Amino acid sequence: MTTPLDLDLLARAIDLSRLCPPSRTAFSVGAVIVDADGAVLSEGYSRETDPLCHAEEAALGKLAPADPRLRGATLYSSLEPCSRRASRPRPCAELVIAAGIPRVVVAWREPDLFVTGCEGIGLLAAAGVSVLELPELAASAREVNAHLLD
């Protein structure tokens, strides 16, 4: 079920994606992690810490891997967490699963531009993660990446 808080926090993730250094070879993505009460634990965006860093990876990297709050957390991402990547050994969907985050909310499924057939949502769901897609915010997430899609 979508709540006003889900819409606000996913809009915040999209706002964070606008901070990404431009790239012709990667999407600009923002991520927000909140605890069970909706308090922000961490935020991140693509290329925040290095040219290969993904948004979910940046946000998770600011928290201890064993942080107990992650077990009740929700991750908001402007783009579906990746299921494959060439730049790191573990894709973001696996990082989210390993962190124990039980709920993920996304605006936009990854198009077949850099990786054909992204299966991030499927991997999360198969691991028991509740995934909510809010397509009403997909246009805003796509707009940040319009330079890649034209």
Side-chain angles (χ1 to χ4, degrees):
M1 170 165 41
T2 304
T3 68
L5 185 61
D6 288 332
L7 293 167
D8 289 347
L9 289 166
L10 192 51
R12 171 65 183 153
I14 294 167
D15 286 345
L16 287 167
S17 72
R18 292 180 172 89
L19 300 176
C20 298
S23 173
R24 299 296 276 142
T25 59
F27 291 107
S28 293
V29 181
V32 178
I33 301 172
V34 301
D35 69 13
D37 297 319
V40 174
L41 299 175
S42 182
E43 297 180 330
Y45 55 89
S46 302
R47 298 175 295 287
E48 178 180 359
T49 57
D50 72 59
L52 303 176
C53 188
H54 287 196
E56 301 90 343
E57 179 182 25
L60 284 167
K62 295 172 186 170
L63 298 168
D67 188 323
R69 298 173 297 174
L70 291 171
R71 302 279 180 237
T74 298
L75 173 112
Y76 294 86
S77 182
S78 60
L79 182 69
E80 172 182 17
C82 66
S83 59
R84 286 186 306 235
R85 64 190 287 191
S87 61
R88 299 271 202 259
R90 295 180 80 189
C92 292
E94 286 183 18
L95 295 175
V96 172
I97 293 164
I101 295 174
R103 184 170 183 260
V104 173
V105 180
V106 300
W108 182 35
R109 287 186 184 241
E110 184 172 337
D112 292 340
L113 183 60
F114 302 117
V115 173
T116 302
C118 179
E119 300 171 349
I121 288 175
L123 289 173
L124 292 167
V129 176
S130 171
V131 180
L132 177 62
E133 184 178 355
L134 300 183
E136 58 266 44
L137 294 180
S140 295
R142 275 193 304 273
E143 180 269 323
V144 177
N145 292 281
H147 66 287
L148 297 172
L149 305 171
D150 294 335

